[in-house]
């Protein structure tokens, strides 16, 4: 009995020491940067949570909010108010210029019908801004998303501006905020089936794994073939060279089949775009290596 007690104490101390090492490694990546960096890491099917000093801070989401919007849309599908195969008519007037829109690039003249499922994929996996605003209008605007996410127990979350509004000025990019801790909580609950039905959860997980944006962020340094279901966000730089946000949140599957949520927000950064994305990539690699060793 004494040997078992000693072993458990040793194991607890060893895990604590490892966690402290991970904290030091992450702090070493962020400490000398001219930016606010928030990091949260949460085991989904194993007990572990790590956050840095900014884990509770509400920071601008940018396109990360398209994950939350997709959840609210799919909730309408689960309620029978929408169907994934229903056609959505897209007018040419819906395809705004001077915004990121693979839909507009493919259908410049608009006036097409697209299944709701495909519109969600464009919005999440390709981060289409016009698709995002079409989804918002379909469900009644940002207020619908705000209420749904709050009802799922996520309190540090605010959504007020759609993509069209955010493109009217950099100040509007600060209207949509959340914390990395709350991002992880939502990711964990989503994965556990506490947010959507099983079918909707599987659909969105698959869509997020197929994400083509943010290849220099969370996924950049992970082993090829690692399943990563993620959503990125990026503001670009303002006229003073300030990056309002460079973000990535996601669910990563380890080689042993376990999963963890990771959210990294780089905000109000005067670093280069390459440095901002490398901060996220370096942190993601350190976390993956830490769990792989364990």
């Amino acid at each position: 009995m004494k040997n078992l007690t000693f072993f458990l104490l040793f194991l607890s101390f060893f895990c604590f020491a490892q966690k402290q090492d991970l904290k030091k490694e992450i702090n070493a990546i962020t400490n000398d940067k001219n930016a606010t960096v928030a990091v949260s890491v949460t085991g989904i099917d194993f007990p572990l949570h790590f956050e840095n000093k900014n884990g509770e801070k509400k920071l601008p989401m940018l396109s990360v909010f398209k994950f939350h919007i997709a959840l609210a849309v799919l909730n309408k599908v689960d309620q029978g108010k929408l169907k994934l195969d229903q056609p959505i008519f897209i007018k040419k007037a819906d395809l705004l210029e001077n915004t990121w829109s693979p839909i507009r690039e493919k259908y410049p003249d608009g006036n097409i019908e697209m299944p709701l499922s495909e519109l969600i994929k464009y919005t999440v996996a390709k981060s289409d801004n016009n698709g995002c605003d079409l989804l918002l209008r379909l469900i009644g605007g940002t207020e619908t998303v705000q209420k749904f996410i709050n009802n799922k127990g996520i309190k540090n979350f605010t959504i007020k501006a759609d993509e069209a509004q955010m493109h009217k000025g950099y100040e509007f990019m600060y209207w949509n905020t959340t914390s990395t801790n709350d991002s992880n909580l939502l990711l964990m609950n989503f994965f556990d089936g506490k947010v959507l039905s099983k079918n909707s959860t599987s659909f969105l997980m698959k869509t997020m794994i197929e994400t083509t944006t943010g290849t220099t962020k969370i996924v950049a340094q992970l082993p090829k073939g690692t399943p990563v279901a993620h959503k990125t966000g990026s503001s670009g730089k303002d006229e003073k060279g300030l990056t309002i946000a460079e973000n990535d949140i996601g669910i990563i599957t380890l080689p042993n089949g376990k999963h963890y949520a990771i959210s990294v927000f780089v905000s109000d950064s005067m670093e280069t775009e390459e440095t901002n994305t490398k901060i996220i990539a370096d942190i993601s690699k350190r976390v993956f290596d830490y769990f792989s060793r364990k």
Side-chain angles (χ1 to χ4, degrees):
M1 189 65 179
K2 288 183 179 180
N3 287 340
L4 177 60
T5 301
F6 176 79
F7 173 75
L8 291 174
L9 286 172
F10 173 78
L11 183 62
S12 177
F13 175 78
F14 180 72
C15 290
F16 174 79
Q18 277 196 318
K19 189 174 177 180
Q20 290 301 107
D21 287 343
L22 175 63
K23 184 177 181 179
K24 289 178 182 177
E25 289 182 19
I26 290 176
N27 286 340
I29 295 169
T30 64
N31 280 345
D32 64 341
K33 302 301 188 297
N34 188 2
T36 297
V37 183
V39 183
S40 297
V41 181
T42 308
I44 294 178
D45 36 24
F46 60 94
L48 184 138
H49 177 76
F50 165 85
E51 63 187 83
N52 73 347
K53 62 182 180 180
N54 295 317
E56 281 291 334
K57 191 168 186 176
K58 290 183 71 173
L59 297 170
M61 290 184 286
L62 276 295
S63 285
V64 163
F65 82 150
K66 292 170 184 169
F67 168 60
H68 304 74
I69 292 168
L71 292 175
V73 173
L74 289 168
N75 177 61
K76 298 291 186 184
V77 173
D78 290 342
Q79 293 175 338
K81 296 178 180 178
L82 296 172
K83 294 182 179 180
L84 284 178
D85 61 356
Q86 78 177 71
I88 306 298
F89 186 73
I90 303 175
K91 306 185 299 293
K92 182 175 176 59
D94 294 325
L95 301 177
L96 303 182
E97 301 289 340
N98 302 317
T99 192
W100 173 255
S101 182
I103 295 175
R104 188 193 63 243
E105 294 302 310
K106 187 171 183 179
Y107 307 104
D109 296 324
N111 298 320
I112 61 164
E113 285 189 343
M114 178 182 292
L116 177 60
S117 59
E118 189 175 353
L119 185 59
I120 294 172
K121 289 178 181 179
Y122 265 105
T123 299
V124 176
K126 298 181 184 294
S127 205
D128 193 292
N129 292 336
N130 287 322
C132 172
D133 287 357
L134 281 163
L135 290 179
L136 279 173
R137 289 196 290 272
L138 186 65
I139 62 173
T142 57
E143 298 86 356
T144 301
V145 184
Q146 182 73 58
K147 183 177 179 181
F148 175 70
I149 298 298
N150 287 160
N151 285 343
K152 292 302 176 180
I154 308 301
K155 302 307 179 185
N156 279 337
F157 172 80
T158 302
I159 179 171
K160 295 180 179 179
D162 61 9
E163 285 287 352
Q165 182 68 45
M166 284 195 288
H167 279 71
K168 292 179 180 179
Y170 284 98
E171 65 272 22
F172 300 117
M173 296 183 183
Y174 289 96
W175 282 16
N176 303 326
T177 63
T178 193
S179 70
T180 53
N181 277 352
D182 284 86
S183 294
N184 274 16
L185 178 59
L186 184 59
L187 287 167
M188 181 172 63
N189 288 342
F190 160 67
F191 184 85
D192 285 341
K194 297 176 181 178
V195 180
L196 299 173
S197 68
K198 184 177 180 179
N199 286 341
S200 290
T201 300
S202 297
F203 169 78
L204 188 52
M205 273 292 294
K206 184 176 184 296
T207 299
M208 293 170 71
I209 287 174
E210 294 170 353
T211 290
T212 57
T213 59
T215 56
T216 57
K217 299 182 190 180
I218 280 178
V219 301
Q221 299 178 32
L222 301 187
K224 187 175 181 180
T226 300
V228 180
H230 67 128
K231 184 69 203 82
T232 62
S234 181
S235 66
K237 287 189 173 292
D238 68 12
E239 62 278 2
K240 296 180 180 179
L242 177 74
T243 299
I244 294 169
E246 196 72 72
N247 302 334
D248 207 352
I249 70 169
I251 297 168
I252 297 177
T253 304
L254 289 161
N256 64 5
K258 298 291 186 180
H259 306 83
Y260 64 92
I262 179 170
S263 297
V264 185
F265 288 1
V266 180
S267 299
D268 292 332
S269 175
M270 292 302 295
E271 304 290 344
T272 64
E273 180 183 344
E274 291 75 18
T275 298
N276 291 331
T277 56
K278 191 172 186 299
I279 290 170
I280 299 173
D282 286 348
I283 291 172
S284 178
K285 181 65 162 59
R286 297 296 192 282
V287 172
F288 186 88
D289 289 347
Y290 169 78
F291 286 133
S292 295
R293 288 195 302 269
K294 284 173 69 66

